[in-house]
């Protein structure tokens, strides 16, 4: 499937609704990841005061489950207008969650102000973008937007099945000055880390990017320009 294309997801969610699928959870639920995620947050992250942005939310219950856990200030974006309308209707009794259609590679029009979210969250969205024919360009632009929108003192959280050898080259690029922590999560709901036939543990992965300090805009502009030039010339590598 063309997981990296917006057109794919619009058709996917129309078909899913027609087939009776109200929700689908990629990788793990909030209950599976909550303890590990909240351990990574600073003591200053009071759930009720946190401004939270979800990138590529789909029809996951993650925003709803986090809302019930006290994270009541959320903006959820997805490229599919169909699933955004569906989720907006499903959560009309949760006024603290806002919904918007957006291309997460460029959210300047929707969110022109930088450094405004205490938590930027994605679960399996970057995994889907790895499938794009121009994945280097698309991943770089998405992570750049996550970096831009994460507040100083805030975090970008990525839940992925990709191992550090695949993810760190993007998350720890010199253009981004945040500090990146990695830990393993269960490979399936319920907290189990199964072994494969060779006895190796199978795991999902938690990446937490801590934006500890203010970044000089001129430094970032120059570093991003160099990275963008590279991935525009070689968008698939």
């Amino acid at each position: 499937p063309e997981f990296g294309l917006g057109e794919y997801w619009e058709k996917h969610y129309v078909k899913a609704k027609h087939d009776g699928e109200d929700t689908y959870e990629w990788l793990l639920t909030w209950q599976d990841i909550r303890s590990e995620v909240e351990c990574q947050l600073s003591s200053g992250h009071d759930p009720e005061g946190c401004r939270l942005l979800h990138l590529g939310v789909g029809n996951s219950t993650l925003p709803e489950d986090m809302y019930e856990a006290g994270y009541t200030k959320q903006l959820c974006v997805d490229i599919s207008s169909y699933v955004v309308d569906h989720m907006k209707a499903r959560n009309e009794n949760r006024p603290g969650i806002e919904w918007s259609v957006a291309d997460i590679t460029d959210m300047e029009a929707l969110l022109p102000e930088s450094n405004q979210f205490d938590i930027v969250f994605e679960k399996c969205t970057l995994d889907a973008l790895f499938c794009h024919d121009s994945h280097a360009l698309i991943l770089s632009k998405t992570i750049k937007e996550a970096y831009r929108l994460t507040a100083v003192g805030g975090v970008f959280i990525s839940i992925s099945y990709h191992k550090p050898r695949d993810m760190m080259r993007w998350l720890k690029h010199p253009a981004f000055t945040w500090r990146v922590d990695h830990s393993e999560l269960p490979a399936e709901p319920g907290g189990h880390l199964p072994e494969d036939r060779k006895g190796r543990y199978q795991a999902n992965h938690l990446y937490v990017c801590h934006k500890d300090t203010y970044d000089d805009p001129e430094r970032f502009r120059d570093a991003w320009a160099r990275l963008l030039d590279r991935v525009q010339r070689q968008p698939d590598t």
Side-chain angles (χ1 to χ4, degrees):
E2 296 292 341
F3 288 157
L5 299 178
E7 297 87 349
Y8 169 84
W9 292 108
E10 185 72 3
K11 294 176 182 177
H12 170 84
Y13 289 118
V14 170
K15 183 178 185 300
K17 185 65 175 177
H18 181 268
D19 293 343
E21 178 190 287
D22 188 56
T23 185
Y24 183 84
E25 207 63 54
W26 293 90
L27 302 184
L28 299 166
T29 67
W30 171 241
Q31 288 72 27
D32 294 314
I33 65 178
R34 179 177 182 175
S35 176
E36 188 68 29
V37 166
E38 292 191 329
C39 280
Q40 291 281 355
L41 301 179
S42 71
S43 57
H45 281 93
D46 171 41
E48 291 187 1
C50 275
R51 295 159 298 168
L52 175 61
L53 171 64
H54 291 276
L55 304 178
V57 68
N59 59 7
S60 166
T61 64
L62 182 63
E64 296 150 325
D65 293 338
M66 293 189 75
Y67 186 93
E68 299 306 322
Y71 297 86
T72 55
K73 299 177 181 178
Q74 302 185 41
L75 172 60
C76 303
V77 302
D78 200 278
I79 200 167
S80 167
S81 59
Y82 188 89
V83 82
V84 166
D85 289 342
H86 167 64
M87 293 296 285
K88 188 183 297 184
R90 196 170 90 184
N91 286 278
E92 59 184 359
N93 63 334
R94 296 182 175 93
I97 308 182
E98 300 176 16
W99 304 87
S100 186
V101 178
D103 176 354
I104 61 173
T105 68
D106 183 1
M107 293 182 284
E108 289 274 4
L110 175 67
L111 298 166
E113 180 185 348
S114 300
N115 302 302
Q116 62 172 294
F117 291 96
D118 301 294
I119 302 173
V120 178
F121 208 121
E122 76 84 15
K123 183 160 69 76
C124 215
T125 303
L126 294 183
D127 292 341
L129 298 182
F130 268 100
C131 301
H132 197 285
D133 287 343
S134 298
H135 65 274
L137 177 61
I138 299 302
L139 285 167
S140 297
K141 292 176 73 173
T142 300
I143 294 169
K144 177 254 189 181
E145 283 294 84
Y147 181 79
R148 180 180 70 85
L149 291 166
T150 301
V152 176
V155 293
F156 169 49
I157 296 174
S158 173
I159 309 292
S160 173
Y161 67 76
H162 278 89
K163 296 180 180 180
R165 67 169 179 260
D166 300 314
M167 291 288 286
M168 288 301 193
R169 69 183 69 181
W170 305 106
L171 297 176
K172 297 187 73 172
H173 189 278
F176 314 118
T177 60
W178 49 25
R179 170 174 51 90
V180 184
D181 291 329
H182 163 260
S183 57
E184 291 187 343
L185 293 169
E188 48 191 51
H192 185 46
L193 279 171
E195 296 181 357
D196 65 13
R197 286 179 293 181
K198 294 184 179 181
R200 297 172 299 194
Y201 284 115
Q202 300 296 293
N204 289 309
H205 300 272
L206 169 66
Y207 301 92
V208 182
C209 306
H210 303 263
K211 197 173 184 180
D212 295 325
T213 58
Y214 176 77
D215 193 7
D216 177 67
E218 185 174 348
R219 184 219 69 85
F220 175 62
R221 184 171 58 251
D222 292 343
W224 169 243
R226 290 192 295 271
L227 174 57
L228 181 60
D229 177 68
R230 178 180 177 183
V231 295
Q232 284 178 329
R233 286 186 284 109
Q234 296 178 300
D236 59 344
T237 59

